């Protein structure tokens, strides 16, 4: 409702006003002073403050029926203040005076007064709130805000690279050592492929370089693992013995449930048919030559084991990704896929009938390996840590390959090969800060 001015004190009214004429739910206050109706006394109806300024009561003025007292300041005019309001705009129609001109003047005057008073109260409240705040607390909050912005800038400036388009990768394929579509590591200092006495010193140097750029926060386990890497690798039980890097205090188990990386598992299983179709297109080339372009043959005691890498040791294989574009794009949708350090791989693995893979250990325990079954004949098994498991078409099998593991296909030739899509995912108990640091420490070629 409109804040309504009482013209009893500041303006002379022709007719005295009684309390019965007040709007329901309103209380008469002096504008800017908060004097209630109880402060008024006398038949004239003037307030004590008005009498102190020389108000003569309800006497008429010969000059005008609406005349302010010359000695009464403007802030002492009285307004109607609503106690309850059923309207959302806080404005009510102004009571119409006797003439149209007077109505327009009062409406403009009251609206202008209400706006100025609201602005004045808002500014006064803001100044008082600022004065009430402790300067030390404000300085601490400002410092924390600056540190947070600085941290976000430095962390976001060098985020791990995303999967680049295949066309861009093709331009530098030969420079990266791509042979027959497969990436071979030629770096003599690669921590994934070389084993020497200075490995721990190199890892610690990489960790120090990372901490200088970012922070030591959250690096406790990595620092502990690098400092005591030799003891960890030499004293580990024979059932789990990673060859390159062991991160301490991670839960160890041969197999993981699907809930360990639920999002990525469900995404892979929903795209089972897409990956299978692209594999069948690739596999047709085996009828033309012994080893088609892009495939790699691995050494086994018996049989044949072929792999078709899209990502090998953290490096994309451009020609292979071009031949499986939908599967390659799918890798970019996985939340926990390792694609920026030497422990990350993604490939199609094919075991021909009669093949046995020798028992071996993986390089690290910071990852879990995911097998999506594409073709799973009978008499095929995966054994991890002495526990056998079978693949199923369209289903994912998660395991820790830092445990001693093997696989074999003892089915008949008529059943065809065993085919899985293999991708390395982060161990669920490796924190985000640790993942970023490990990507930096074990970057390809570092």
């Amino acid at each position: 409702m409109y804040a309504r001015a009482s013209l009893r004190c500041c303006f002379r009214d022709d007719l005295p006003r009684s309390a019965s004429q007040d709007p329901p739910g309103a209380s008469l206050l002096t504008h800017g002073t908060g004097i209630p109706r109880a402060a008024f006394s006398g038949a004239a109806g003037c307030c004590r403050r008005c009498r102190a300024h020389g108000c003569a009561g309800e006497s008429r003025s010969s000059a005008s029926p609406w005349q302010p007292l010359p000695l009464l300041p403007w802030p002492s005019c009285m307004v109607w203040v609503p106690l309850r309001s059923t309207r959302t705009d806080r404005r009510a129609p102004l009571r119409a005076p006797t003439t149209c001109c007077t109505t327009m003047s009062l409406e403009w005057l009251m609206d202008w007064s209400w706006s100025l008073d609201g602005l004045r109260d808002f500014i006064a409240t803001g100044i008082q709130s600022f004065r009430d705040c402790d300067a030390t607390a404000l300085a601490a909050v400002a410092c924390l805000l600056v540190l947070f912005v600085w941290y976000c800038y430095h962390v976001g400036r060098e985020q791990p690279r995303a999967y680049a388009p295949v066309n861009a990768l093709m331009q530098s394929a030969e420079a990266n050592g791509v042979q027959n579509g497969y990436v071979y590591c030629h770096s003599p200092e690669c921590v994934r492929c070389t084993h020497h006495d200075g490995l721990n010193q190199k890892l610690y140097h990489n960790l120090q370089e990372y901490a200088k750029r970012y922070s030591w926060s959250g690096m406790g386990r990595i620092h502990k693992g690098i400092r005591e890497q030799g003891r960890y690798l030499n004293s580990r039980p024979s059932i789990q013995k990673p060859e390159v890097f062991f991160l301490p205090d991670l839960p160890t188990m041969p197999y993981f449930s699907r809930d360990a990386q639920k999002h990525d598992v469900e995404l892979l299983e929903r795209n089972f048919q897409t990956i299978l179709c692209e594999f069948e297109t690739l596999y047709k080339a085996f009828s033309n030559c012994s080893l088609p372009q892009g495939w790699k043959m691995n050494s086994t005691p018996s049989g044949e084991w072929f792999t078709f890498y899209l990502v090998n040791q953290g490096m994309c294989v451009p020609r292979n990704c071009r031949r499986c574009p939908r599967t390659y794009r799918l890798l970019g949708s996985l939340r926990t896929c390792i694609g920026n350090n030497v422990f990350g791989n993604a490939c199609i693995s094919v075991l021909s009938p009669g093949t046995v893979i020798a028992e071996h250990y993986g390089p690290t325990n910071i990852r879990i390996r995911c097998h999506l079954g594409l073709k799973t004949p009978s008499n095929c098994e995966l054994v991890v840590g002495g526990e056998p498991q079978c693949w199923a078409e369209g289903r994912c099998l998660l395991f820790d390959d830092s445990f001693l593991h093997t696989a074999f296909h003892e089915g008949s030739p008529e059943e065809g090969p065993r085919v899985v899509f293999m991708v390395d995912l982060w161990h669920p108990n490796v924190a985000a800060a640790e993942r970023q640091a490990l990507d930096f420490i074990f970057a390809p070629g570092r």
Side-chain angles (χ1 to χ4, degrees), residues 80-149:
W80 295 103
V81 179
L83 299 179
R84 297 179 179 87
S85 177
T86 58
R87 299 172 59 92
T88 58
D89 56 1
R90 298 179 56 194
R91 296 193 175 190
L94 188 68
R95 184 175 296 181
T98 56
T99 63
C100 179
C101 181
T102 305
T103 302
M104 295 176 59
S105 299
L106 288 177
E107 183 177 359
W108 176 84
L109 185 62
M110 294 303 102
D111 187 45
W112 176 76
S113 174
W114 181 83
S115 300
L116 288 181
D117 292 334
L119 179 61
R120 181 190 63 186
D121 295 341
F122 176 78
I123 295 175
T125 303
I127 294 175
Q128 186 62 32
S129 300
F130 181 79
R131 288 176 177 175
D132 293 340
C133 292
D134 185 13
T136 304
L138 289 176
V141 172
C143 291
L144 290 175
L145 182 61
V146 171
L147 289 176
F148 177 74
V149 173

Side-chain angles (χ1 to χ4, degrees), residues 22-215:
D22 296 350
S27 174
L28 186 62
L29 302 176
T30 57
H31 184 71
T33 62
I35 302 176
R37 175 179 288 279
F40 289 85
S41 64
C46 294
C47 64
R48 298 187 185 96
R49 180 177 177 181
C50 292
R51 290 200 300 272
H53 284 80
C55 179
E58 294 288 339
S59 60
R60 298 173 58 89
S61 173
S62 59
S64 170
W66 309 91
Q67 179 177 354
L69 290 176
L71 298 178
L72 187 64
W74 168 254
S76 65
C77 69
M78 291 177 290
V79 296
W80 295 103
V81 179
L83 299 179
R84 297 179 179 87
S85 177
T86 58
R87 299 172 59 92
T88 58
D89 56 1
R90 298 179 56 194
R91 296 193 175 190
L94 188 68
R95 184 175 296 181
T98 56
T99 63
C100 179
C101 181
T102 305
T103 302
M104 295 176 59
S105 299
L106 288 177
E107 183 177 359
W108 176 84
L109 185 62
M110 294 303 102
D111 187 45
W112 176 76
S113 174
W114 181 83
S115 300
L116 288 181
D117 292 334
L119 179 61
R120 181 190 63 186
D121 295 341
F122 176 78
I123 295 175
T125 303
I127 294 175
Q128 186 62 32
S129 300
F130 181 79
R131 288 176 177 175
D132 293 340
C133 292
D134 185 13
T136 304
L138 289 176
V141 172
C143 291
L144 290 175
L145 182 61
V146 171
L147 289 176
F148 177 74
V149 173
W150 175 85
Y151 175 78
C152 292
Y153 169 75
H154 282 274
V155 170
R157 184 177 60 177
E158 295 187 8
Q159 285 292 332
R161 67 185 185 277
Y163 289 101
V166 177
N167 292 336
L169 292 170
M170 286 293 294
Q171 298 176 359
S172 59
E174 298 300 332
N176 290 334
V178 178
Q179 300 177 4
N180 193 30
Y182 177 79
V183 177
Y184 292 90
C185 179
H186 297 286
S187 174
E189 300 180 351
C190 176
V191 297
R192 171 64 177 88
C193 302
T194 60
H195 304 276
H196 50 83
D197 296 335
L199 176 60
N200 292 347
Q201 287 76 8
K202 180 175 178 59
L203 295 181
Y204 191 75
H205 173 75
N206 293 345
L207 177 61
Q208 285 183 318
E209 184 179 351
Y210 172 84
K212 289 179 182 178
R213 293 193 182 187
Y214 302 102
S215 171

Side-chain angles (χ1 to χ4, degrees), residues 189-196 199-200 203 225-226 228-230 232-234 236 241-247 313 341-343 361-367 401-402 441-442:
E189 300 180 351
C190 176
V191 297
R192 171 64 177 88
C193 302
T194 60
H195 304 276
H196 50 83
L199 176 60
N200 292 347
L203 295 181
I226 294 176
E228 303 181 11
Q229 197 62 209
Y232 284 133
L233 297 183
N234 296 328
R236 292 297 301 171
K241 197 172 184 179
E243 297 178 345
V244 178
F245 179 73
F246 179 81
L247 185 64
Q313 296 184 18
N341 66 54
V342 295
F343 301 129
Y361 300 98
T364 182
N365 66 329
I366 66 172
R367 73 185 187 188
D401 71 331
S402 65
I441 296 170
F442 293 100

